[in-house]
Amino acid sequence: MPSPHSLPRKRRPVRVSLLAVLAAATATGALVLTGLDGEPAASAATTGHASSSSPSRADRWQATSVPVAKGDLTAIAALSDKQAWAVGYRLKSATALEAVALRWDGTSWAQESTLPENSFPQALAVRSGADIWTVGSASAHWDGTRWTAHQLDKDPGGRVVPDAVTTTSDGKAWTVGRAMNRSVKDGVPAIQSWDGKSWRRQALPDVGKGELSSVTAVAPDDIWAVGAAYATDATSPQTALLLHWNGASWKRVTAPGPQESHNWLGGVTAFAADDIWAVGGSTSGSTERPLAVHWNGTAWTAAKTPNVADGRLRAVGKTGTGELWAVGGKGAAPVALRWNGQANRWDTASAPDVVVRGFTTVPKSADLWAVGIAPQGDLIPVITRLKG
């Protein structure tokens, strides 16, 4: 968010000019891989020891045919190399759009369904082909036959704007974001859980103004949410925000990061109770660089990242072969990093040619998927894959 709110966010339509809405919505976005306990998108393999960028592998990023000519694709999740889903919306005219769900069958993408009106999906959690959640302007659940919209619980902080969703083995779903009245600057972090019948607001520690951008679940009693706590005044830095659920309450945990810089976290994924990565960015003056922190079961520590211009990271995931990737970028300048375990650092890797809106790994596979819009052109949806 430069200024002081540097956390990249999704902006959602609120009955205003449709073209203006889409332009804003596709400009930024927090990305999600939804966590070990409900995670369709990342293997629980041990931490990989990947080398630095490999041109031969990176050259295999290939765009696939998309059954949406104009619009935006905002999130993607995979169960296998033959089962993946993506959500977004198709622009039907200058004043009309429809939210859509696409499905990959191992060969091609096809539209599986349309979502409830005004749902504008921004995040996706897939437990099975008959158990899918999306959140955005509203929440909706797919039971294998139809989508059902579910109203979020009221929040004293204002209108709830969810940014991420995950599921847990006890059948619950969790969504995180912010509650706001007039503007983003008034927002406060918000978390709600689905108990099987309705969404329920969660009591959170007082962190002041801020927002949550991603959530991951190790187990029903071990959930992490990340985002940013806004600066309290013009001389104070914005700080990365880490919240942990222990089965009874949410507590704030101190996040590492450069001192006196504006720090934020945009994505988090758990691979085990003692192996969790969160990624985001850090801004000092006009310099922005990637931020990556790791939980070893005892403490969070910051990892070494390369100097990358506009290197804000928005999602992190591990392939079925153990390679750890993080993606993000700013506008038409995508960024991809890969973990070099031997050198204990993140190295740059060739990024997909897309304004990244969503990213996922594929269980039991070395493949990666990224979705968004083309860097050039007018709202051209893109789904691209890196074959392992």
Side-chain angles (χ1 to χ4, degrees):
M1 17 200 197
S3 83
H5 308 309
S6 303
L7 179 65
R9 66 173 52 82
K10 305 181 183 99
R11 296 171 185 163
R12 294 171 181 75
V14 190
R15 298 181 183 271
V16 295
S17 167
L18 184 58
L19 291 178
V21 161
L22 285 172
T26 57
T28 57
L31 310 180
V32 178
L33 289 173
T34 52
L36 182 67
D37 193 53
E39 173 65 81
S43 164
T46 57
T47 301
H49 298 287
S51 63
S52 60
S53 175
S54 168
S56 61
R57 175 175 164 84
D59 286 346
R60 299 178 196 167
W61 279 105
Q62 295 182 347
T64 56
S65 179
V66 179
V68 178
K70 195 169 185 178
D72 181 22
L73 295 176
T74 55
I76 186 168
L79 290 178
S80 70
D81 58 356
K82 295 183 179 179
Q83 291 188 83
W85 284 262
V87 294
Y89 29 94
R90 171 188 289 110
L91 185 64
K92 298 173 68 176
S93 71
T95 58
L97 56 77
E98 65 178 0
V100 297
L102 311 181
R103 184 170 62 86
W104 171 259
D105 63 5
T107 303
S108 62
W109 288 95
Q111 182 172 325
E112 183 172 59
S113 58
T114 57
L115 279 72
E117 186 177 359
N118 295 323
S119 56
F120 300 108
Q122 300 291 320
L124 178 68
V126 179
R127 177 173 292 283
S128 72
D131 188 1
I132 300 175
W133 281 98
T134 70
V135 295
S137 294
S139 78
H141 181 260
W142 173 259
D143 63 6
T145 302
R146 65 189 180 93
W147 288 96
T148 302
H150 296 282
Q151 186 175 358
L152 294 169
D153 198 4
K154 291 183 178 180
D155 193 295
R159 179 173 63 92
V160 177
V161 183
D163 271 333
V165 62
T166 190
T167 58
T168 48
S169 59
D170 57 357
K172 284 189 175 182
W174 295 78
T175 184
V176 306
R178 62 190 181 275
M180 51 186 281
N181 283 314
R182 296 180 300 276
S183 70
V184 170
K185 293 182 180 181
D186 296 323
V188 294
I191 299 179
Q192 297 199 7
S193 65
W194 174 260
D195 62 10
K197 295 182 179 179
S198 60
W199 288 102
R200 299 295 184 189
R201 183 177 66 88
Q202 297 289 298
L204 301 181
D206 183 9
V207 301
K209 305 296 184 182
E211 64 181 25
L212 295 167
S213 298
S214 186
V215 60
T216 190
V218 179
D221 60 353
D222 190 358
I223 301 173
W224 290 89
V226 304
Y230 299 159
T232 55
D233 55 57
T235 62
S236 301
Q238 172 181 277
T239 57
L241 180 59
L242 280 166
L243 298 181
H244 181 251
W245 171 256
N246 62 10
S249 62
W250 286 93
K251 299 185 182 302
R252 184 174 186 178
V253 178
T254 300
Q259 299 296 313
E260 299 182 0
S261 295
H262 294 297
N263 302 324
W264 70 92
L265 294 170
V268 62
T269 305
F271 309 112
D274 58 356
D275 186 10
I276 301 172
W277 280 95
V279 298
S282 177
T283 300
S284 179
S286 60
T287 302
E288 184 177 54
R289 63 172 298 157
L291 175 64
V293 298
H294 182 256
W295 172 256
N296 63 6
T298 303
W300 286 94
T301 55
K304 185 177 181 180
T305 57
N307 286 317
V308 179
D310 297 326
R312 59 184 66 182
L313 298 172
R314 302 178 181 179
V316 59
K318 189 183 293 183
T319 69
T321 54
E323 286 190 332
L324 187 63
W325 284 73
V327 300
K330 184 177 181 179
V335 170
L337 304 182
R338 191 165 50 172
W339 176 247
N340 185 334
Q342 293 177 338
N344 199 34
R345 71 179 185 226
W346 287 90
D347 292 332
T348 56
S350 294
D353 187 22
V354 60
V355 179
V356 179
R357 298 276 282 133
F359 164 77
T360 187
T361 55
V362 181
K364 300 180 181 179
S365 168
D367 291 3
L368 305 172
W369 288 99
V371 301
I373 58 171
Q376 296 80 33
D378 183 17
L379 293 173
I380 301 172
V382 175
I383 303 180
T384 185
R385 177 172 57 167
L386 177 61
K387 287 290 293 179

